[in-house]
C-alpha cells in the first residue's frame, strides 16, 4: 500500500492544512503499518506552471517528443505515476482567494492526461483513474456553502477528481480560521473525530 501526502500551504508551521495532512497521514499509516508514505511538498519543491514543453511532455506520446520535450518527460510523468501508484492520497488544500493555491493547480495539471486518466467517447468523458481513496484537508478562514459563488476551492477539487474517475473523496475541514484560536481548536476537534472514522 502507498500513501501519498501532498502539501500546498505557504504558511509553514502556522499552516492548518499541513497539520491536518499530518494527522490524516498518521491515521492511515497506523492502520496500515506496512504502508509506504510518499510526500510531495509543492512549496519546498514547486512544480512550474505548465508551458508548451511541459504540456507536450504530459499529453503527447513519448515517441513523438522532440529533444526538449523528451528531456522534460521523466520529471513530468513521475508526478502522475506517483499519484497512480498510490492507494490513498492526502491533499492539503487551503482556500487562497476563494480557490486553491496555484502550486496545487500546477500539480493537478499533471494529472489530467487524455488516454491515461480520462478519455472521451460518444457518451461523454470517462474517468480512468479510480480505485484510490482521496482525503482532502481543507482549511478556510470563513465558512462557505458548497455550490455558492464564493465556494470555488472544494468544488474545483471535487469536479476535477470526479472527471478523472476518483469517486472516493472525503473532505476534512477546519473552517473559521480567521475567527481566532477558539474557532480553530473547535475545528480541529471536529476534524479529529472525522479522521477517526476514516
Amino acid at each position: 500500500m502507498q500513501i501519498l501526502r501532498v502539501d500546498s500551504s505557504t504558511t509553514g508551521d502556522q499552516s492548518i492544512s499541513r497539520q491536518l495532512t499530518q494527522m490524516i497521514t498518521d491515521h492511515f499509516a497506523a492502520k496500515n503499518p506496512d504502508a509506504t508514505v510518499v510526500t510531495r511538498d509543492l512549496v519546498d519543491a514547486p512544480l512550474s506552471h505548465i508551458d508548451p514543453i511541459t504540456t507536450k511532455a504530459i499529453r503527447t506520446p513519448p515517441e513523438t517528443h522532440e529533444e526538449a520535450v523528451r528531456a522534460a518527460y521523466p520529471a513530468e510523468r513521475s508526478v502522475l505515476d506517483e499519484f497512480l501508484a498510490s492507494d490513498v492520497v492526502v491533499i492539503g488544500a487551503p482556500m487562497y482567494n476563494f480557490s486553491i493555491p496555484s502550486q496545487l493547480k500546477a500539480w493537478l495539471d499533471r494529472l489530467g492526461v487524455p488516454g491515461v486518466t480520462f478519455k472521451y467517447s460518444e457518451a461523454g468523458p470517462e474517468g480512468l483513474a479510480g480505485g484510490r481513496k482521496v482525503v482532502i484537508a481543507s482549511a478556510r478562514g470563513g465558512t462557505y456553502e458548497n455550490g455558492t459563488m464564493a465556494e470555488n476551492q472544494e468544488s474545483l477539487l471535487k469536479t476535477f477528481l470526479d472527471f478523472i474517475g476518483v469517486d472516493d473523496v472525503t473532505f476534512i475541514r477546519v473552517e473559521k480560521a480567521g475567527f481566532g484560536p477558539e474557532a480553530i481548536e473547535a475545528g480541529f476537534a471536529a476534524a479529529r473525530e472525522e479522521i477517526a472514522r476514516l
Side-chain angles (χ1 to χ4, degrees), residues 48-118:
S48 64
H49 295 295
I50 56 173
D51 59 26
I53 297 296
T54 54
T55 298
K56 284 184 181 179
I58 295 163
R59 292 177 166 257
T60 61
E63 62 271 17
T64 68
H65 293 171
E66 61 266 27
E67 185 177 347
V69 179
R70 191 163 47 250
Y73 177 78
E76 295 301 316
R77 181 62 190 225
S78 70
V79 178
L80 174 61
D81 288 343
E82 185 178 77
F83 175 80
L84 293 175
S86 299
D87 303 285
V88 175
V89 181
V90 181
I91 302 172
M95 176 184 274
Y96 284 8
N97 300 312
F98 303 105
S99 187
I100 59 174
S102 61
Q103 51 267 37
L104 182 55
K105 177 61 167 62
W107 180 74
L108 293 177
D109 286 337
R110 269 76 178 179
L111 307 186
V113 181
V116 180
T117 58
F118 71 92

Side-chain angles (χ1 to χ4, degrees), residues 140-162:
R140 311 197 276 201
T143 182
Y144 303 88
E145 292 184 20
N146 289 339
T148 65
M149 289 184 68
E151 205 302 280
N152 303 307
Q153 166 223 19
E154 291 185 3
S155 59
L156 184 156
L157 291 163
K158 182 75 173 74
T159 298
F160 177 82
L161 291 167
D162 184 64

